[in-house]
Amino acid sequence: MLPETEHTDLYGGFYQANAALMQLFGHTDGIAAVVRGANGVCVWMSPLFSRLFKGHDALELPMRQAWPQLGEGTFRNIEAAYHSGRTTRLYELPVHDPDHKDRSSRSTKFYDLYFSPLLDRDGAITGVTISGFDVTDRVLIRSHTIEQQLLFKDITDAAGTALWTVDQRGNMTFVNHTWVQWTGHPYEDHMGRGWIEYVMPEDRDRVISTFIRELTVKNTFQLDFRVVRADGGVQWVAATGKPRYLSSGEFAGYVGSCMDITERKSYERSLQESERRFRDIADSAPVLIWMTGANKRITFLNKNWTSFASVPHLLADNGYLQSDLMHPLDHDMVLNTYEEAFENRQEFYMEYRMRHSDGDYRWIGMKGIPRFTDDNVFEGYIGSGMDITEMKEHEQVKNDFIGMASHELKTPITSIKAYVQLLLTIYAKREHDEFLMRSLSTVNKQINKLTRLITDLLDVSKMESGRLSLNSEVFTLHDLIKETVDEVQHTSSQHDIIYSGLPPTISIYADRDRIAQVVTNFLTNAIKYSPESDRVDVDVEISEREVTVIVRDYGIGIDTTEQAKIFDRFYRVEGRNEQTFSGFGIGLYVVAEIVKRHNGRVWVLSEKNKGAAFHFTLPISTDQA
């Protein structure tokens, strides 16, 4: 666009010399204009310049009047170029594109402007040329980068973890606000190697040597150390550093984090102190204390183990619970009990023999309790063992004495019973000797009780010494129960024993006399502990593999807290009502052991003052099943 004015001759040489350049500007995204004189009167502009700055109204007008939107900075640059004869620059001038309806960021472009003096043929400055280049992409990219940097800063500052970067020489180039807040010193103080000043003096040498070593080989590293806080306190941090590489593969330094682990360290110290106390207590305890993991392997043995057993054997254990030291006869029983307890996560107690460091076997009473986390995750077992050899020896002496005394008592008791029965027969028909008959009957009953007590004591002695044998045979359970009920019914006139019966074809393989002993005990107990009742029921239930016998009374009942103990040896229920009933507390222990030796189960269901139902099971004979 060539203006036709009176100044055409003055600038004709410029137009002719720069016609090609003007033509080129007309087809580019650049903007260009020519102004003359100190006031910057516009004499030419490129099409894009004209569109952006309403050029059709600007020709022959001073620049401040023609383009007020360019701003004072642009005008001063034009004047400086005109008066100094040197090119001046203005970077990233924002320009609104009038073709856009709104005023959004998309309607704004940015230009770098250059202002060069315009010379005539004689070298005199007659005006200024304005040229501009679109740098919008550069501005947007930088703006986006700044936004990302601000976002990164906001994210890192919001993090509760200290974040940092170092260059390839190990100099700190960035730390976030968390680290600055911890130390209470300005950001700049930590740059380079400044951060080392805030590491606890006792930890500095270790931190520096580790940092330099890992930096040299470019390894990922982890390091715990203490930091001096702004309040003068000490804070433990766990630092993690990871090597960083440029896209070219060149090593660029490290990026890493520091996490506050003060609470964890405090917990670890408490845990270590707790473990130390546990070890001190365990080592001072006069028992064998042990722990296992969830894999059944031993993880801890106290010092008493090392004084009890050979240390090399303890360390070379090939099984569980120092199985290499167990007596061969006890080995399988112990391991089976241990395996079953682990499977069911239940407590266990067992007695077995273990080889002492002097080479002799000694009896050990071992108890184990499963360990669980707060989340109920199984962690293994903790347990203790005690040398019970002397107790076993004393118990054997006691059992031998009970067995001997019971055996020696049987002979005179048998003689007394025979004479009493003879006297009962002689005086049975003499009506005038009623007192004598009652007295003899009372003596006979007491002899029967004494006989049962002696029998029970002998059975206990045999059980404890392992001499109780079973003479098993196949027999019909119905016949046995009926015979036993009839026998006990003859001795009790107050109670009716109601037996519901069962199919006479059900057979079991067991010791007939011992099973009769179990039923008799349950019946006599039911009669004894239900003095205000007049009935005892005997029921039988049959399943596919076993038969259950139930003896139910309607007497004083058993409290739930006592029910698990009544089958223990010499255990008697305490209470005002119970004290009126005689007994040593061995009858139920004997029958429970008899049932267990037949692979059966025994239990009781009862409520206080509402009677009791004693149950025992026996496997059905294989042929019958």
Side-chain angles (χ1 to χ4, degrees), residues 276-292:
R276 186 189 64 77
R277 287 197 299 268
F278 168 76
R279 289 180 180 274
D280 289 345
I281 294 172
D283 288 340
S284 64
V287 293
L288 310 176
I289 297 178
W290 53 273
M291 290 179 65
T292 74

Side-chain angles (χ1 to χ4, degrees), residues 488-604:
V488 175
Q489 183 69 78
H490 287 310
T491 65
S492 176
S493 59
Q494 180 180 338
H495 294 78
D496 289 328
I497 303 175
I498 310 301
Y499 171 45
S500 60
L502 78 162
T505 57
I506 297 298
S507 299
I508 62 171
Y509 180 73
D511 186 319
R512 197 177 195 280
D513 292 338
R514 291 297 182 185
I515 300 305
Q517 183 179 349
V518 172
V519 177
T520 299
N521 183 281
F522 280 0
L523 289 173
T524 54
N525 274 352
I527 292 171
K528 180 167 68 171
Y529 290 103
S530 57
E532 304 298 327
S533 175
D534 60 359
R535 173 173 175 162
V536 173
D537 291 326
V538 180
D539 299 318
V540 179
E541 297 176 355
I542 304 171
S543 65
E544 183 179 356
R545 294 293 179 182
E546 65 181 11
V547 58
T548 303
V549 179
I550 307 160
V551 176
R552 182 179 290 103
D553 66 63
Y554 304 92
I556 63 175
I558 305 169
D559 192 86
T560 54
T561 59
E562 309 282 351
Q563 292 175 18
K565 305 173 185 176
I566 61 174
F567 297 102
D568 294 344
R569 183 178 55 173
F570 301 120
Y571 183 82
R572 297 193 69 232
V573 177
E574 298 294 334
R576 183 178 61 185
N577 293 334
E578 287 80 357
Q579 294 302 316
T580 61
F581 301 99
S582 62
F584 283 171
I586 59 176
L588 289 177
Y589 168 74
V590 171
V591 299
E593 287 296 317
I594 292 173
V595 172
K596 290 178 183 177
R597 290 168 189 254
H598 283 86
N599 296 318
R601 296 172 291 119
V602 60
W603 71 95
V604 63

Side-chain angles (χ1 to χ4, degrees), residues 164-175 179 190-196 199 203-225 239-244 251-258:
W164 50 267
T165 60
V166 298
D167 61 20
Q168 64 271 29
R169 292 182 298 277
N171 293 317
M172 187 72 70
T173 57
F174 167 79
V175 291
W179 176 271
H190 305 282
M191 296 299 99
R193 300 297 173 91
W195 61 274
I196 296 174
V199 176
D203 296 343
R204 283 178 192 168
D205 289 344
R206 175 173 59 87
V207 171
I208 293 172
S209 60
T210 302
F211 181 68
I212 292 175
R213 182 180 67 248
E214 300 302 335
L215 179 69
T216 302
V217 295
K218 303 177 179 60
N219 279 340
T220 298
F221 68 86
Q222 291 183 333
L223 182 64
D224 293 355
F225 58 90
T240 301
K242 181 179 180 181
R244 185 169 61 91
F251 175 64
Y254 273 82
V255 61
S257 64
C258 291

Side-chain angles (χ1 to χ4, degrees), residues 179-193:
W179 176 271
V180 173
Q181 190 177 36
W182 285 350
T183 62
H185 287 266
Y187 176 89
E188 295 76 14
D189 290 357
H190 305 282
M191 296 299 99
R193 300 297 173 91

Side-chain angles (χ1 to χ4, degrees), residues 1 14 23 125 139 174 179 190 208 275 466 544 578 616:
M1 179 174 61
F14 168 78
Q23 190 71 20
I125 299 175
V139 172
F174 167 79
W179 176 271
H190 305 282
I208 293 172
E275 289 178 350
E544 183 179 356
E578 287 80 357
F616 74 92

